[in-house]
Short mmCIF file of all heavy atoms in Angstrom, two decimals:
data_model
loop_
_atom_site.label_atom_id
_atom_site.label_comp_id
_atom_site.label_asym_id
_atom_site.label_seq_id
_atom_site.Cartn_x
_atom_site.Cartn_y
_atom_site.Cartn_z
N THR A 1 4.03 2.87 15.89
CA THR A 1 2.83 2.99 16.71
C THR A 1 1.74 2.09 16.15
O THR A 1 1.83 1.61 15.02
CB THR A 1 2.31 4.44 16.73
OG1 THR A 1 1.80 4.76 15.43
CG2 THR A 1 3.42 5.42 17.10
N LEU A 2 0.68 1.89 16.93
CA LEU A 2 -0.43 1.09 16.45
C LEU A 2 -1.14 1.76 15.27
O LEU A 2 -1.59 1.09 14.35
CB LEU A 2 -1.42 0.83 17.59
CG LEU A 2 -0.89 -0.07 18.72
CD1 LEU A 2 -1.94 -0.23 19.81
CD2 LEU A 2 -0.47 -1.44 18.19
N LYS A 3 -1.24 3.07 15.30
CA LYS A 3 -1.87 3.77 14.18
C LYS A 3 -1.04 3.61 12.92
O LYS A 3 -1.58 3.39 11.83
CB LYS A 3 -2.04 5.26 14.52
CG LYS A 3 -2.77 6.03 13.43
CD LYS A 3 -3.05 7.46 13.84
CE LYS A 3 -3.82 8.21 12.75
NZ LYS A 3 -4.12 9.60 13.15
N GLU A 4 0.27 3.73 13.06
CA GLU A 4 1.15 3.55 11.90
C GLU A 4 1.07 2.11 11.40
O GLU A 4 1.12 1.86 10.19
CB GLU A 4 2.59 3.90 12.29
CG GLU A 4 3.54 3.97 11.11
CD GLU A 4 4.92 4.44 11.52
OE1 GLU A 4 5.02 5.26 12.45
OE2 GLU A 4 5.90 3.97 10.90
N LEU A 5 0.93 1.16 12.32
CA LEU A 5 0.77 -0.24 11.94
C LEU A 5 -0.46 -0.42 11.06
O LEU A 5 -0.44 -1.10 10.03
CB LEU A 5 0.67 -1.11 13.19
CG LEU A 5 0.68 -2.64 13.02
CD1 LEU A 5 1.22 -3.29 14.29
CD2 LEU A 5 -0.68 -3.20 12.71
N ILE A 6 -1.57 0.23 11.45
CA ILE A 6 -2.80 0.13 10.67
C ILE A 6 -2.62 0.78 9.31
O ILE A 6 -3.04 0.24 8.28
CB ILE A 6 -3.98 0.78 11.42
CG1 ILE A 6 -4.27 -0.01 12.71
CG2 ILE A 6 -5.23 0.84 10.55
CD1 ILE A 6 -5.26 0.67 13.63
N GLU A 7 -1.98 1.95 9.28
CA GLU A 7 -1.78 2.64 8.01
C GLU A 7 -0.96 1.80 7.05
O GLU A 7 -1.25 1.72 5.86
CB GLU A 7 -1.09 3.99 8.24
CG GLU A 7 -2.00 5.05 8.85
CD GLU A 7 -3.20 5.33 7.98
OE1 GLU A 7 -3.04 5.49 6.75
OE2 GLU A 7 -4.33 5.37 8.51
N LYS A 8 0.08 1.16 7.55
CA LYS A 8 0.94 0.35 6.70
C LYS A 8 0.30 -1.00 6.34
O LYS A 8 0.77 -1.69 5.45
CB LYS A 8 2.29 0.12 7.38
CG LYS A 8 3.15 1.37 7.49
CD LYS A 8 4.45 1.06 8.18
CE LYS A 8 5.35 2.31 8.24
NZ LYS A 8 5.81 2.73 6.91
N SER A 9 -0.76 -1.36 7.05
CA SER A 9 -1.43 -2.65 6.81
C SER A 9 -2.86 -2.47 6.31
O SER A 9 -3.63 -3.43 6.29
CB SER A 9 -1.45 -3.47 8.11
OG SER A 9 -0.15 -3.60 8.64
N ARG A 10 -3.20 -1.25 5.91
CA ARG A 10 -4.58 -0.96 5.51
C ARG A 10 -5.07 -1.88 4.39
O ARG A 10 -6.24 -2.25 4.34
CB ARG A 10 -4.67 0.50 5.08
CG ARG A 10 -6.06 0.97 4.68
CD ARG A 10 -6.05 2.46 4.38
NE ARG A 10 -5.88 3.23 5.60
CZ ARG A 10 -6.88 3.62 6.37
NH1 ARG A 10 -8.13 3.32 6.04
NH2 ARG A 10 -6.65 4.33 7.46
N PHE A 11 -4.16 -2.25 3.48
CA PHE A 11 -4.57 -3.07 2.34
C PHE A 11 -5.14 -4.42 2.77
O PHE A 11 -5.90 -5.03 2.03
CB PHE A 11 -3.37 -3.29 1.39
CG PHE A 11 -2.20 -3.98 2.02
CD1 PHE A 11 -2.14 -5.36 2.11
CD2 PHE A 11 -1.15 -3.23 2.54
CE1 PHE A 11 -1.05 -5.99 2.68
CE2 PHE A 11 -0.06 -3.86 3.13
CZ PHE A 11 -0.01 -5.25 3.20
N PHE A 12 -4.81 -4.88 3.97
CA PHE A 12 -5.35 -6.15 4.45
C PHE A 12 -6.85 -6.06 4.70
O PHE A 12 -7.56 -7.06 4.66
CB PHE A 12 -4.66 -6.58 5.75
CG PHE A 12 -3.29 -7.18 5.56
CD1 PHE A 12 -2.18 -6.58 6.15
CD2 PHE A 12 -3.11 -8.33 4.83
CE1 PHE A 12 -0.92 -7.13 6.00
CE2 PHE A 12 -1.84 -8.89 4.67
CZ PHE A 12 -0.75 -8.28 5.25
N PHE A 13 -7.33 -4.86 4.99
CA PHE A 13 -8.72 -4.69 5.40
C PHE A 13 -9.63 -4.18 4.27
O PHE A 13 -10.83 -4.03 4.47
CB PHE A 13 -8.79 -3.70 6.58
CG PHE A 13 -8.04 -4.17 7.78
CD1 PHE A 13 -6.71 -3.80 7.98
CD2 PHE A 13 -8.65 -5.00 8.72
CE1 PHE A 13 -6.00 -4.24 9.09
CE2 PHE A 13 -7.94 -5.44 9.84
CZ PHE A 13 -6.63 -5.06 10.02
N LEU A 14 -9.06 -3.93 3.10
CA LEU A 14 -9.83 -3.41 1.98
C LEU A 14 -10.32 -4.53 1.07
O LEU A 14 -9.70 -5.59 0.96
CB LEU A 14 -8.97 -2.44 1.16
CG LEU A 14 -8.41 -1.23 1.92
CD1 LEU A 14 -7.48 -0.42 1.02
CD2 LEU A 14 -9.53 -0.36 2.47
N ASP A 15 -11.46 -4.28 0.39
CA ASP A 15 -11.98 -5.26 -0.56
C ASP A 15 -11.08 -5.36 -1.78
O ASP A 15 -10.86 -6.44 -2.32
CB ASP A 15 -13.41 -4.88 -1.00
CG ASP A 15 -14.40 -4.99 0.15
OD1 ASP A 15 -14.16 -5.82 1.06
OD2 ASP A 15 -15.39 -4.26 0.15
N ARG A 16 -10.58 -4.22 -2.24
CA ARG A 16 -9.63 -4.20 -3.36
C ARG A 16 -8.66 -3.04 -3.16
O ARG A 16 -8.92 -2.15 -2.33
CB ARG A 16 -10.33 -4.07 -4.72
CG ARG A 16 -11.01 -2.75 -4.97
CD ARG A 16 -11.57 -2.68 -6.39
NE ARG A 16 -10.55 -2.80 -7.41
CZ ARG A 16 -9.83 -1.77 -7.90
NH1 ARG A 16 -10.04 -0.54 -7.43
NH2 ARG A 16 -8.93 -1.95 -8.84
N VAL A 17 -7.56 -3.06 -3.88
CA VAL A 17 -6.58 -1.99 -3.79
C VAL A 17 -6.34 -1.40 -5.17
O VAL A 17 -6.61 -2.04 -6.19
CB VAL A 17 -5.24 -2.50 -3.21
CG1 VAL A 17 -5.40 -2.96 -1.77
CG2 VAL A 17 -4.65 -3.60 -4.07
N GLU A 18 -5.84 -0.18 -5.18
CA GLU A 18 -5.45 0.46 -6.44
C GLU A 18 -3.95 0.64 -6.42
O GLU A 18 -3.40 1.29 -5.52
CB GLU A 18 -6.15 1.80 -6.59
CG GLU A 18 -5.85 2.49 -7.92
CD GLU A 18 -6.67 3.75 -8.11
OE1 GLU A 18 -7.92 3.65 -8.18
OE2 GLU A 18 -6.05 4.85 -8.17
N VAL A 19 -3.29 0.06 -7.40
CA VAL A 19 -1.83 0.12 -7.46
C VAL A 19 -1.39 1.56 -7.72
O VAL A 19 -1.92 2.24 -8.60
CB VAL A 19 -1.29 -0.81 -8.55
CG1 VAL A 19 0.23 -0.60 -8.71
CG2 VAL A 19 -1.57 -2.26 -8.20
N ASN A 20 -0.41 2.02 -6.94
CA ASN A 20 0.15 3.35 -7.12
C ASN A 20 1.28 3.26 -8.14
O ASN A 20 2.40 2.86 -7.82
CB ASN A 20 0.67 3.88 -5.79
CG ASN A 20 1.12 5.33 -5.87
OD1 ASN A 20 1.36 5.85 -6.94
ND2 ASN A 20 1.23 5.96 -4.72
N VAL A 21 1.00 3.65 -9.40
CA VAL A 21 2.00 3.55 -10.46
C VAL A 21 3.03 4.66 -10.36
O VAL A 21 3.98 4.70 -11.16
CB VAL A 21 1.33 3.57 -11.86
CG1 VAL A 21 0.44 2.35 -12.04
CG2 VAL A 21 0.53 4.86 -12.05
N GLY A 22 2.87 5.56 -9.39
CA GLY A 22 3.84 6.64 -9.23
C GLY A 22 5.13 6.20 -8.56
O GLY A 22 6.14 6.88 -8.65
N TYR A 23 5.10 5.06 -7.86
CA TYR A 23 6.30 4.57 -7.20
C TYR A 23 7.34 4.11 -8.22
O TYR A 23 7.03 3.35 -9.14
CB TYR A 23 5.97 3.39 -6.29
CG TYR A 23 5.35 3.76 -4.96
CD1 TYR A 23 4.11 3.23 -4.59
CD2 TYR A 23 6.00 4.60 -4.07
CE1 TYR A 23 3.54 3.54 -3.37
CE2 TYR A 23 5.44 4.91 -2.85
CZ TYR A 23 4.21 4.39 -2.51
OH TYR A 23 3.64 4.70 -1.30
N LYS A 24 8.57 4.56 -8.06
CA LYS A 24 9.65 4.13 -8.94
C LYS A 24 9.85 2.62 -8.86
O LYS A 24 10.09 1.96 -9.89
CB LYS A 24 10.94 4.86 -8.55
CG LYS A 24 12.14 4.51 -9.42
CD LYS A 24 13.37 5.30 -8.99
CE LYS A 24 14.57 4.95 -9.87
NZ LYS A 24 15.79 5.73 -9.45
N MET A 25 9.72 2.07 -7.66
CA MET A 25 9.92 0.63 -7.49
C MET A 25 8.81 -0.17 -8.16
O MET A 25 9.03 -1.31 -8.58
CB MET A 25 10.00 0.28 -6.00
CG MET A 25 11.23 0.83 -5.31
SD MET A 25 11.30 0.43 -3.54
CE MET A 25 11.47 -1.34 -3.63
N VAL A 26 7.61 0.42 -8.26
CA VAL A 26 6.52 -0.24 -8.98
C VAL A 26 6.83 -0.30 -10.46
O VAL A 26 6.70 -1.34 -11.13
CB VAL A 26 5.18 0.48 -8.72
CG1 VAL A 26 4.10 -0.02 -9.67
CG2 VAL A 26 4.75 0.31 -7.27
N ARG A 27 7.25 0.83 -11.01
CA ARG A 27 7.59 0.88 -12.44
C ARG A 27 8.74 -0.07 -12.77
O ARG A 27 8.73 -0.74 -13.80
CB ARG A 27 7.96 2.31 -12.83
CG ARG A 27 6.81 3.31 -12.65
CD ARG A 27 7.09 4.60 -13.40
NE ARG A 27 8.29 5.26 -12.92
CZ ARG A 27 8.30 6.15 -11.92
NH1 ARG A 27 7.17 6.45 -11.28
NH2 ARG A 27 9.43 6.72 -11.55
N LYS A 28 9.71 -0.14 -11.86
CA LYS A 28 10.86 -1.02 -12.08
C LYS A 28 10.45 -2.48 -12.12
O LYS A 28 10.94 -3.27 -12.93
CB LYS A 28 11.90 -0.79 -10.98
CG LYS A 28 13.15 -1.63 -11.13
CD LYS A 28 14.15 -1.33 -10.01
CE LYS A 28 15.39 -2.20 -10.14
NZ LYS A 28 16.36 -1.93 -9.04
N ALA A 29 9.52 -2.86 -11.23
CA ALA A 29 9.09 -4.26 -11.15
C ALA A 29 8.36 -4.71 -12.41
O ALA A 29 8.33 -5.91 -12.72
CB ALA A 29 8.20 -4.46 -9.93
N PHE A 30 7.76 -3.75 -13.14
CA PHE A 30 6.98 -4.10 -14.33
C PHE A 30 7.64 -3.58 -15.62
O PHE A 30 6.98 -3.47 -16.66
CB PHE A 30 5.56 -3.55 -14.20
CG PHE A 30 4.71 -4.33 -13.25
CD1 PHE A 30 4.74 -4.03 -11.89
CD2 PHE A 30 3.92 -5.38 -13.68
CE1 PHE A 30 3.97 -4.75 -10.98
CE2 PHE A 30 3.15 -6.11 -12.79
CZ PHE A 30 3.18 -5.80 -11.43
#
């Protein structure tokens, strides 16, 4: 949906983002 599109793309509209270190894939990448 368009709302889901915005939710998944919210980072495009923010001044900065905070990395979610809780994701397993995030920990794996680093």
Side-chain angles (χ1 to χ4, degrees):
T1 69
L2 292 179
K3 184 174 182 179
E4 190 175 327
L5 188 154
I6 295 171
E7 286 301 314
K8 291 180 178 293
S9 306
R10 182 175 289 272
F11 60 84
F12 282 119
F13 299 93
L14 302 175
D15 293 332
R16 68 175 299 274
V17 295
E18 183 174 297
V19 173
N20 187 342
V21 296
Y23 282 123
K24 181 179 180 180
M25 293 179 66
V26 169
R27 298 196 298 271
K28 181 179 179 181
F30 286 86

